[in-house]
Amino acid sequence: MACSPWFLLAFFVSLCLLRDAHRFCNGDPTEGFTAVPLTEWNFEMEKPYDIPLEERYSFVNGVRRMWVYSSDMPLRPDSKTKPRTEIRIRGYDYSSGTWQFEGYGFVPNGTSGTNIMQVHRATYPATTLMLRVYGGLLTNYVWSVVEPYVYDRWMRVNVIHDVDADKLTVFIDGVQKMEVEGNGPGVFNFKCGVYTQNYSTYYMESRWRDIRILKKDE
């Protein structure tokens, strides 16, 4: 029986992560940061423009569930982007300092080819980090693997963006998994949900709870 390329890649990556586990840093990534106040106003929804929000989003018992189909419309009639149902954190756009996204994310088995969290920029290029799911792998963009298997479990996701140093750090369940350079200055914001990428499944879903935005103490 033939194995899918995603399965083989996941197996290879798992071996590499075990080999290099000593390089990862444990600890509380929110230490030295202060959470900013959030209300429902801060959770701006982006969804296919031609359908009601409740057909692609629910908020029950603290869990924000977002789903989308690859055949859905974009967020605006004039948009050339692919379908999405995303939360865009409103009111805390930033262009300097060190900011952090924290949330607990869940991706059901079968969702693939979608972005579930991104650091978005107001100008080109539109993103500086995209956490995507491909066949159970959590990646930054396509081939930089962050976590080898994320299906059907809650994971604590922390993304720290040091704008002045142009550096982004990703933690999963309190363990540092990746540190990458950004792509220059800009005005940034955080997003999470599902945003269709290449090689997507027809149906995509992610769930989020306990979302916080934090700023590093000065």
Side-chain angles (χ1 to χ4, degrees):
M1 181 174 65
C3 294
S4 75
W6 294 118
F7 176 84
L8 294 174
L9 180 59
F11 178 75
F12 172 76
V13 168
S14 298
L15 293 179
C16 292
L17 290 177
L18 288 172
R19 181 197 65 191
D20 296 337
H22 67 278
R23 291 172 21 198
F24 300 149
C25 301
N26 294 294
D28 184 1
T30 67
E31 184 176 350
F33 287 76
T34 299
V36 301
L38 295 175
T39 67
E40 280 305 302
W41 179 86
N42 298 108
F43 293 84
E44 179 182 4
M45 296 304 305
E46 297 181 345
K47 50 85 178 174
Y49 71 83
D50 62 336
I51 55 174
L53 179 61
E54 60 267 22
E55 293 187 14
R56 294 294 182 270
Y57 170 78
S58 68
F59 184 27
V60 179
N61 296 327
V63 176
R64 301 176 188 272
R65 175 174 168 249
M66 288 159 277
W67 64 98
V68 77
Y69 295 89
S70 61
S71 59
D72 280 343
M73 294 291 106
L75 75 167
R76 293 185 305 273
D78 62 345
S79 174
K80 303 300 184 185
T81 61
K82 294 184 179 183
R84 74 182 76 196
T85 305
E86 286 187 301
I87 292 168
R88 185 239 200 255
I89 298 297
R90 176 166 53 187
Y92 291 106
D93 293 11
Y94 60 93
S95 58
S96 62
T98 303
W99 291 77
Q100 181 172 177
F101 170 93
E102 179 181 65
Y104 289 78
F106 182 98
V107 182
N109 195 336
T111 287
S112 188
T114 186
N115 175 79
I116 64 166
M117 186 273 164
Q118 62 175 303
V119 179
H120 184 261
R121 185 204 308 266
T123 56
Y124 182 84
T127 64
T128 192
L129 178 137
M130 294 186 83
L131 296 182
R132 302 180 184 179
V133 174
Y134 288 105
L137 297 173
L138 183 68
T139 66
N140 179 31
Y141 294 101
V142 181
W143 292 110
S144 297
V145 176
V146 178
E147 183 77 357
Y149 197 79
V150 298
Y151 281 153
D152 293 338
R153 68 178 180 93
W154 286 102
M155 55 182 170
R156 181 188 179 195
V157 179
N158 294 79
V159 175
I160 299 174
H161 187 189
D162 184 338
V163 180
D164 303 322
D166 199 20
K167 180 176 70 176
L168 297 106
T169 309
V170 179
F171 292 78
I172 303 296
D173 295 325
V175 178
Q176 181 180 324
K177 294 301 180 92
M178 178 171 288
E179 183 176 283
V180 294
E181 291 185 1
N183 49 19
V187 178
F188 303 93
N189 59 76
F190 296 117
K191 292 185 177 186
C192 65
V194 277
Y195 176 25
T196 308
Q197 303 299 312
N198 293 334
Y199 312 111
S200 74
T201 49
Y202 178 62
Y203 176 82
M204 293 151 277
E205 176 186 334
S206 76
R207 306 167 197 169
W208 290 88
R209 60 176 174 86
D210 300 319
I211 295 170
R212 297 200 299 165
I213 304 300
L214 306 97
K215 190 175 189 304
K216 189 171 185 179
D217 301 334
E218 297 181 356

